[in-house]
Each structure stands twice: as C-alpha cells, then as structure tokens.
Amino acid sequence: MIVVQPVFSPEEGMEIAIWSQRYTIIKGELYMKRQDHLFVFFAVALMLCCPASLSYALTLPDTDKSNAESSFSNAILNGSSYSINPEYKGTGLEVSRKTIIPKSLGVVYQYLTADEMNAIQTDNLFGTLKMGGRWVSALSYTDYINWVDKFCAFATSRNQQALIQLPIAQKEYLDAILSHLSSINCNLQGISIDNEPDDLPTVLPNLFPSYTIQNYISDVNDIAPKIRSYLPGVYIVGLDLMSFTVAQGEDPITNWLVPFCNSSAASNVDYISIHYYPFNGAQKEWDTLKLGSIIKGFFSSESPLVPVNCPPLILGEFNTTFQYGEGTVYPGSGGDSIMAALTVPEIFSLDRISALMHYSLTESPPSTLGLYDMTTSSFKPFYNTYKMLSDMNGGKYMEAYSNDSDVMATVFSKNGKYILYLGNYSPFLKRNITVSNGNLSSVYTDSSDTLLETTVSLAPFSLTQVEASFGTQGTIVNRFSYAYRDLRSGDFRTDEVNGEFCSVLADFSEPNLTGEYFIGDNWNQNNKIASGGSFSATNYVSGASVALSKSNNVLNVDCNVSSSMSLYLCGVELPFYSDTSKQNWRNWQSGFAKGIFRISLETDSPGSFLFQLSYVNPEALGWDAHQVELPVNSGRQVINVRVSDFKQAGWGNYMNIYDALKQISSLSIGINGTTSAHFKINSVQICDKL
C-alpha cells in the first residue's frame, strides 16, 4: 500500500490576506478552523525549477466569502519569512508564493567536440546546464572567455538555462568577465564562485600554495557584490565543496561549510553547493540503492551534517562513483548504474536539496560518468531517470508513505495532475501495489475526488511514473527496469509478459580491482557479489575443507576430504545483503509466486547438488534449512531452482517457505557428497515473471 498525502507550507512571519482580513503566521503549526472542526495543514516542500510564482489550492469547507474569512482563526508555522498573496477562486483558496527556493535538475557540461554538440539535440536535454569543474578553475582569461562563448552558444541553441563557474584565479579580470557575461546571449541563471576551493592548492599549486576558508570568505565578499551589480537577478552559488566527508585529510564540513555559513559571505550567496560521489571507489550494484538513506542521514533533524542556518543546498556534482583511475571503470559504475538511477527521485525529494547536477553530460573513454556515450551514440540508464524526473518541474511535493521497505514512493502535483514515482528496490516483481489517498478529502480534495487511486505492478529493480488528473485513475506514462533498460510507457509489453525479468546476484566474470580503490577491507569488492556481500566457503562437517578462487571468469570450488565420511555440503554461500548493512536479511516473499534462482555452473563429474536458503535465525528452525536437492550431470549447464520449491528436510522446527522468505539471508550452492570434488560457478541470477 502506498499512501499519498498533500503538504502545505507557508512560512513564519508570512502575512496571509483573505479579502479584507490579514493574518500573520508565528512559529508552530498552521490550523484552519471552522466552527468545531480543526483542519491541520503540514509543511510544503517546494520542488523543481519553480516559476516566479507558484499556486497552492486549498479547498475550504464552504464557498461563500464570509465563511471563508472566518475559516482562518489562527496560523502557526515553522520557517523563514516570505510574503504570499492568496486569492479566492471558486471553491478554493489559492495561495500564490512569490518568493521561492527553486528546485532543478541539471547536468555538468564538459569538453564537447563539434560531433558531440551536433549529436546532442534539444529534446535530449533537461533542466540547467552547468559549465564547471577543475578544468574551468585552471583556464587562462582568454581560454575562459572562449569556453564561455562556446558553452553559451550550445546552451542557447538548445534553450537551456545556464549556470557558469567563475574562477577565482581570474579575479583580476573580474570586471571584464562580468561585463562580457552581461553582454552575450546565454540565458544565464546562476554564477558559481569557483569549484572545490577546498582543493585549489592541488589544482593550481603555483598560484595557490595554500588556500583556506578565510581566503574564500574574503573572495566571496569581494566577488558577489560585483556579480549583483553586473548581473542583477542571477543567483549566486558558493563553496562547491569536494565532498560531504573527509577529503584530502580535511573535514569539509567542520573546516569549510560551518565557518562559511556562520560568516558574512553566507548572506552574499543564494545557494551553497557540495559534490556528492557516495562511493569514491568500486561498489557493487545493489550497494548504490543506499544512496537515498545515506544522504538522508546528512540532514538528520537531531544532528544534521549541513547546519540549518546554511543557504539552500545544491548537489553541484552528482554520480555514484568518481572514476579517478582506469581500474574504477567497471560494469555498473558511473552512468552505467541502473540501481543508482532508481534512487534519484528519493534523493531529489529531500526538502534540503534545491538542485542536483549530474556529472557529466559526456566523458572521454574509458570513463562512464557521462550521460551520453559517444562511442555508441546512446544515452546511459541514468538519462532515463532524469527525463522522467523532468516532468516534476514546477510541481508541488506531497508526502508519500509505503508499507514495503523495497518500494520507494515520491509524488508531486502539477497542472491539475498528480505525478507519482515508484521505485522497486527488489529483484522480484511487486504485484498489484495499491495507491491510496488516505482520509484526505476534507483537507485537499472534494469528497468526490480521489488522489491517484490506482493499482500498479512494478518490475524488479525498476522505476515507474504514474500520472492522474485530479479525481481520475492513474496511468503509467513512463517506466524502465534493470531487465529492459529502454524507456517504456503503458502496461507491460508482450516481450515482458512472455519473458522474464532477470538480475545478477553473482557474476564471477567481473575483473579483480587493485586495492587502491578500496576504503578498508569492508570495501574490498573482489570477494563481493552484486548485493555488496562477500561470498564465503560453506562446509558443514569436520574433516573436509573448501577452497574458493576466481579465475578465467569463474568461481572455482575445490572440496577436499581427508578421510571417508558421511554426507556433507561443500560449496559457497552468497549473501543477500551488503557487508556494511545493519540488516542481515531481506524480505523476499514477493518472489514466492514465480521467483527463480538461475545458476550457471560446470562440474567435472555428475553428482548431487544442494541449493539451500538460510533463514535469518537458523536456530529457530532447529538448523533445518529450506533446500532443494537436484542431480547434476557433468559439463557446463544452467539450473533453474524455483523459490517455491524450497522445503525443510523435516528434522527441525517447521516453517513454510513463504514465512521464511520474510527474513531470508543467503543462498548456498554446493555438492552433496562423500568424496573430494571440484566444480565451477559462472553466474547466479534471480529471475521473476508476470
């Protein structure tokens, strides 16, 4: 069940005019009172690239002027001071907010060749284009002006808003640069005062042998007023720090962000920016599903990493990984990460984030960070997410609750429509997810209206966009998935209905990476599978040993028996959770109906293989795990094991497989024998079908 709830948010100090009456909001909550009824309105989060004015329709219980006036007896809110002018229109009170914090999607523009510029058309782009990066910081004055002209020509020809980095190294030419920017056609929306100033000595060591936050505060206080003078109405972005966490041995929050927000410079900028590369080394596909929860932790109400007194935040560069070496370019990294693409709506719905800039539009090989791959003339999976999210521009954020931890729900209202994004973080189908408005008719909609009342099924590892006009059933307008990565609309197509949705749990053909790309042993990816968990040897009796090794695109499993013994299991255990996760199980009951484990393996001689699912608390089952035993011939083959076929042997405490799937932790694959044996595993997939 997904429950969607509207959110309303005037600000503290706001004056509300209802015909001849005015009300001033003070700290607390907003109440609308009529006779004995109390209606409580919650805080509104503004979303995405809002225009100069946004309207919020609030339906009152009565439609005549006098009753509407008396409906507002008290208004109490948290927030900053803004001015709004409501008007009475028909059956509702429409509040127009003149001062806004816009939210926007964007992408960082890198070096584009003529061929790249011609290939990327207007319809391929979205949101704001940002000219920024270390390369801009290092440009000479002449080169900078030339790149600005090229960038602005590209942006205006494609009708894109522009955000341009102004390098501190060219401060002596500040007036000339700003004069030039004010004279050219660029659709300029914002100026960023340099990039990653916390690492300027690395970029320009001769010019900046040292550079501190105090230097930057001074530069911002010098530069920002001049920007306002030459380019009135253009917003200013400060900081553009490397990371939320420790980089180059220095804490960017303690040493840069906090002092900046407490300084006079904070009032001279409209936004601050921090770059967000959550995995600065190699990560596995399912690890990236944590992106939303990681960044939510930065804004914890109890101890926020970003103080509340800071200006609104932009993620000035965003990608799953920063590929600082060829070894970090691997399947599933950067723009290739379908899992990271699923998390963008969750990240973007956070009210502390005002904009998100993907890094970058294009990249030179072997990097895969770009959205557009010139070698294949195609867009990466991330691109589909951004195109779907661009429909939220100008929309109003509404709260959505899901009772399924694997389903993310984000909803907006815009132009008489509701836009709902549903992300399925599970390798199994989510069948017949019900979307309901809850008991909200007295607050936001007429009693006859429904709020995105619909039922939808979600493909494994997928993002689905549902839209509905007010009071109508929702329809699927966009969706894409791990298995079928092109952007699709409407119900499942024939190839999906008749086919399977498969995702990789373990692929042993992935190359080993060198240790320099890992942050400690917990992040050593060479022994991990897609879940982010490390595979390990399984051996249930003494007198036998198991050796695991990766080579030639397979996992070699060698079982050695020191003496004759009774039946034993020799093999490998594949965890369903990450090594760094606090939760060591997954709820995979949705896989019971038609879920399949598909194992590609090779064995030297025929034998009996055991496939075993581990419950989170095996002792509660009397160590009687659910398993399937199958005869396997020699040679290479693909084995399908249905989830519903797993059963206990019968000696322990009974639990049916459906109940056990609620807290399942791993799959073990092994040979059941009494002698030494050798086999190889190529890959393990999880598949589901409609």
Side-chain angles (χ1 to χ4, degrees):
M1 167 75 76
I2 306 294
V3 178
V4 180
Q5 177 168 312
V7 186
F8 174 63
S9 170
E11 309 288 349
E12 182 184 0
M14 182 185 294
E15 288 189 337
I16 295 180
I18 307 177
W19 297 279
S20 60
Q21 302 295 319
R22 300 185 70 85
Y23 300 88
T24 301
I25 293 170
I26 57 176
K27 222 170 178 75
E29 296 175 316
L30 174 65
Y31 296 90
M32 180 196 291
K33 188 176 183 182
R34 175 182 173 271
Q35 296 176 355
D36 297 327
H37 300 286
L38 188 67
F39 302 97
V40 181
F41 289 79
F42 300 88
V44 146
L46 282 199
M47 282 281 123
L48 303 170
C49 267
C50 304
S53 173
L54 269 184
S55 295
Y56 299 93
L58 308 176
T59 300
L60 298 176
D62 294 282
T63 60
D64 64 276
K65 177 178 175 180
S66 59
N67 279 336
E69 284 182 332
S70 64
S71 293
F72 277 83
S73 63
N74 191 17
I76 312 176
L77 244 293
N78 292 317
S80 304
S81 178
Y82 290 99
S83 178
I84 61 173
N85 298 306
E87 300 176 40
Y88 182 71
K89 294 182 179 180
T91 60
L93 177 71
E94 191 165 282
V95 181
S96 179
R97 179 171 179 170
K98 301 297 183 182
T99 306
I100 54 144
I101 299 173
K103 281 214 171 192
S104 65
L105 284 169
V107 61
V108 180
Y109 166 102
Q110 285 286 78
Y111 320 94
L112 290 182
T113 66
D115 287 342
E116 289 172 331
M117 291 179 67
N118 292 331
I120 300 172
Q121 303 302 313
T122 302
D123 291 344
N124 300 141
L125 296 174
F126 53 86
T128 303
L129 280 175
K130 176 185 177 182
M131 174 181 157
R134 295 186 174 210
W135 67 279
V136 178
S137 299
L139 291 173
S140 67
Y141 167 71
T142 302
D143 288 343
Y144 177 76
I145 293 298
N146 289 337
W147 271 105
V148 164
D149 289 346
K150 185 186 296 186
F151 168 76
C152 288
F154 178 80
T156 55
S157 69
R158 287 152 178 80
N159 196 31
Q160 299 299 306
Q161 296 180 336
L163 168 61
I164 293 179
Q165 176 187 327
L166 196 155
I168 290 173
Q170 303 306 323
K171 187 177 175 181
E172 61 180 301
Y173 300 105
L174 181 61
D175 287 288
I177 290 171
L178 293 175
S179 177
H180 183 74
L181 287 171
S182 66
S183 66
I184 62 175
N185 182 18
C186 195
N187 198 17
L188 186 62
Q189 302 295 307
I191 294 288
S192 174
I193 301 178
D194 223 303
N195 170 81
E196 298 182 350
D198 46 336
D199 202 35
L200 264 182
T202 300
V203 181
L204 298 167
N206 294 331
L207 192 58
F208 299 103
S210 68
Y211 193 79
T212 67
I213 181 57
Q214 295 307 321
N215 298 133
Y216 186 72
I217 288 171
S218 176
D219 282 334
V220 168
N221 286 335
D222 290 341
I223 294 170
K226 287 199 171 185
I227 296 174
R228 305 276 189 210
S229 175
Y230 279 94
L231 301 165
V234 169
Y235 62 81
I236 300 174
V237 181
L239 289 181
D240 241 8
L241 297 176
M242 291 177 64
S243 171
F244 284 94
T245 54
V246 175
Q248 304 297 328
E250 188 172 62
D251 184 343
I253 301 299
T254 301
N255 295 333
W256 283 81
L257 180 68
V258 172
F260 183 87
C261 293
N262 290 332
S263 75
S264 57
S267 61
N268 277 327
V269 302
D270 302 292
Y271 301 92
I272 56 171
S273 171
I274 302 177
H275 298 171
Y276 185 43
Y277 297 93
F279 300 100
N280 287 329
Q283 90 285 345
K284 294 300 184 183
E285 276 275 69
W286 298 9
D287 275 332
T288 59
L289 293 170
K290 298 185 238 176
L291 296 188
S293 61
I294 290 173
I295 199 165
K296 283 177 182 177
F298 295 160
F299 307 115
S300 166
S301 58
E302 295 181 358
S303 56
L305 198 63
V306 180
V308 294
N309 67 319
C310 291
L313 176 68
I314 290 174
L315 299 182
E317 291 181 12
F318 169 70
N319 212 310
T320 53
T321 53
F322 185 78
Q323 294 168 343
Y324 49 86
E326 196 164 331
T328 56
V329 181
Y330 56 92
S333 66
D336 286 334
S337 176
I338 184 70
M339 302 303 184
L342 304 185
T343 69
V344 173
E346 183 182 7
I347 295 171
F348 207 54
S349 67
L350 296 174
D351 58 3
R352 294 290 302 277
I353 295 176
S354 298
L356 182 152
M357 305 287 174
H358 179 87
Y359 188 92
S360 61
L361 183 56
T362 61
E363 284 279 303
S364 299
S367 173
T368 64
L369 293 179
L371 288 176
Y372 189 79
D373 185 349
M374 289 301 299
T375 60
T376 61
S377 299
S378 63
F379 284 93
K380 302 294 185 64
F382 247 131
Y383 172 77
N384 290 325
T385 305
Y386 289 128
K387 289 296 285 186
M388 291 172 68
L389 284 174
S390 65
D391 291 339
M392 291 192 295
N393 288 319
K396 296 173 290 183
Y397 174 62
M398 304 168 69
E399 290 183 346
Y401 304 95
S402 171
N403 64 359
D404 188 327
S405 60
D406 282 330
V407 175
M408 178 281 304
T410 306
V411 67
F412 296 82
S413 63
K414 175 184 175 182
N415 298 333
K417 289 185 177 181
Y418 294 103
I419 306 172
L420 174 68
Y421 296 89
L422 296 172
N424 181 5
Y425 290 4
S426 166
F428 297 106
L429 279 151
K430 295 292 183 177
R431 296 171 173 84
N432 301 320
I433 296 290
T434 301
V435 179
S436 172
N437 66 314
N439 184 22
L440 301 171
S441 59
S442 61
V443 176
Y444 198 81
T445 60
D446 293 334
S447 58
S448 60
D449 280 350
T450 57
L451 177 61
L452 249 178
E453 196 80 38
T454 191
T455 300
V456 61
S457 292
L458 309 177
F461 291 134
S462 66
L463 185 66
T464 301
Q465 179 182 352
V466 181
E467 289 188 6
S469 297
F470 293 165
T472 64
Q473 290 289 311
T475 58
I476 297 173
V477 295
N478 278 311
R479 57 184 176 79
F480 75 99
S481 66
Y482 183 100
Y484 303 95
R485 301 193 179 195
D486 55 320
L487 202 60
R488 302 184 173 191
S489 61
D491 294 331
F492 291 113
R493 293 181 357 186
T494 302
D495 56 340
E496 296 168 298
V497 172
N498 296 331
E500 293 179 325
F501 297 86
C502 293
S503 54
V504 173
L505 175 63
D507 182 358
F508 297 109
S509 68
E510 292 180 356
N512 281 345
L513 302 172
T514 58
E516 65 184 289
Y517 302 118
F518 310 135
I519 308 171
D521 291 339
N522 279 343
W523 292 101
N524 185 331
Q525 302 299 306
N526 294 325
N527 292 328
K528 294 183 187 294
I529 58 175
S531 64
S534 296
F535 61 82
S536 59
T538 297
N539 176 29
Y540 287 166
V541 296
S542 60
S545 63
V546 184
L548 305 177
S549 63
K550 283 172 60 178
S551 66
N552 300 321
N553 298 329
V554 300
L555 177 69
N556 295 288
V557 183
D558 288 292
C559 307
N560 297 299
V561 180
S562 59
S563 60
S564 179
M565 58 172 56
S566 59
L567 208 63
Y568 73 97
L569 173 67
C570 165
V572 61
E573 182 176 16
L574 306 176
F576 298 149
Y577 57 91
S578 172
D579 291 345
T580 59
S581 174
K582 294 180 180 178
Q583 180 176 292
N584 62 346
W585 52 270
R586 301 288 299 270
N587 182 343
W588 278 0
Q589 288 182 322
S590 55
F592 173 78
K594 297 183 180 180
I596 293 172
F597 292 106
R598 178 163 294 156
I599 302 101
S600 173
L601 59 78
E602 183 177 354
T603 180
D604 296 338
S605 57
S608 175
F609 267 74
L610 198 64
F611 305 92
Q612 183 171 284
L613 286 174
S614 294
Y615 182 64
V616 67
N617 182 11
E619 189 173 1
L621 304 183
W623 306 99
D624 188 2
H626 296 81
Q627 59 191 32
V628 171
E629 186 172 0
L630 294 173
V632 174
N633 296 322
S634 59
R636 186 169 181 175
Q637 56 216 282
V638 175
I639 300 170
N640 292 319
V641 185
R642 293 188 301 182
V643 173
S644 58
D645 284 345
F646 283 82
K647 295 179 174 59
Q648 292 171 285
W651 64 71
N653 302 321
Y654 176 75
M655 178 183 290
N656 66 60
I657 182 59
Y658 182 78
D659 290 339
L661 287 170
K662 189 173 184 178
Q663 290 184 302
I664 210 72
S665 61
S666 67
L667 170 69
S668 293
I669 302 168
I671 193 165
N672 225 4
T674 58
T675 60
S676 297
H678 171 80
F679 65 95
K680 305 172 184 177
I681 300 177
N682 303 91
S683 66
V684 179
Q685 290 183 309
I686 299 175
C687 300
D688 204 355
K689 59 193 304 183
L690 288 164

